[in-house]
Amino acid sequence: MEAVLMVVDEPATEEHLAKVLRRPRRAVAVALRELSEEYARQGRGFDLRPVAGGWRFYTRPEYADAVEGFVLDGQQARLTQAALETLAVVAYRQPVSRSRVSAVRGVNCDGVMRTLLQRGLIEEAGTEPETGAILYRTTNHFLERMGLRGLDELPELAPFLPEADAVEAESQEGVPSFDVDDNDSGDSGGSQP
């Protein structure tokens, strides 16, 4: 199991490991937890953690700076503030369209959304029935990079932040409505009632 986990490029599920190793899923689940606990007790330079629906090796947090320095060696791998804000909107509002993300952020986010797509942090999630706009959601890669098992582990939003619906409503003020029912009394002759 360790040998397989050393070569995976995304978290391996217990079911997949059980199939590959020809072992019962329950036995694989127990072995994974035992290995994880053993590595922690020994203080190894790595952890075996459940993340994004599977298991994967990670650098132990106290050694992250050394590994980052070695791997990056001067390269910049961090997301910009705009990308982090956009990613947060997608994570908390998903599935969500680009226009809604832009409305929440108050700026056009098309370029940032393309970057997040290219990095595999978000993906298309169908279309909005009313408008046909493409909807986006976060990926398992997002969960993996953030060290989350699932979206339910996202931290609660601060209570003092405005609700996204209120922000969207404010951004729509002054925008003319094109609903036929808004100004039409049902009289198609054009005369005043």
Side-chain angles (χ1 to χ4, degrees):
M1 189 162 33
E2 287 176 320
V4 171
L5 289 169
M6 292 293 283
V7 298
V8 298
D9 58 353
E10 57 185 47
T13 65
E14 293 172 2
E15 293 80 14
H16 190 217
L17 287 169
K19 180 181 172 186
V20 168
L21 300 172
R22 297 185 193 107
R23 299 278 188 259
R25 187 196 153 284
R26 191 175 198 47
V28 168
V30 169
L32 286 164
R33 283 168 184 72
E34 287 175 355
L35 278 175
S36 179
E37 291 168 8
E38 180 181 335
Y39 298 148
R41 271 193 313 275
Q42 294 174 353
R44 298 273 183 102
F46 56 89
D47 282 328
L48 178 59
R49 288 190 247 159
V51 64
W55 289 79
R56 186 170 186 178
F57 284 118
Y58 283 89
T59 302
R60 190 168 297 284
E62 55 265 31
Y63 305 120
D65 288 341
V67 172
E68 183 178 1
F70 177 78
V71 171
L72 297 180
D73 194 23
Q75 298 176 26
Q76 183 60 271
R78 300 189 193 283
L79 292 174
T80 64
Q81 183 69 28
L84 288 172
E85 291 172 5
T86 302
L87 188 55
V89 172
V90 173
Y92 283 98
R93 300 277 300 170
Q94 62 188 299
V96 63
S97 67
R98 285 182 191 212
S99 63
R100 293 207 186 220
V101 174
S102 294
V104 171
R105 288 203 53 235
V107 295
N108 184 310
C109 65
D110 290 348
V112 176
M113 293 286 284
R114 277 192 298 276
T115 298
L116 295 173
L117 278 164
Q118 288 171 348
R119 289 192 178 191
L121 296 169
I122 63 172
E123 64 187 1
E124 291 184 7
T127 57
E128 196 170 65
E130 304 84 38
T131 65
I134 297 172
L135 298 173
Y136 296 91
R137 66 177 171 224
T138 55
T139 62
N140 277 341
H141 182 62
F142 163 80
L143 293 174
E144 183 183 341
R145 301 305 300 166
M146 297 298 164
L148 303 171
R149 293 180 200 185
L151 292 173
D152 57 330
E153 289 188 353
L154 281 171
E156 291 294 320
L157 288 175
F160 57 86
L161 291 176
E163 289 295 319
D165 291 337
V167 172
E168 286 181 31
E170 281 181 26
S171 71
Q172 293 300 316
E173 287 179 11
V175 175
S177 171
F178 295 103
D179 290 339
V180 175
D181 295 335
D182 283 354
N183 297 321
D184 188 5
S185 64
D187 181 5
S188 60
S191 62
Q192 299 278 337

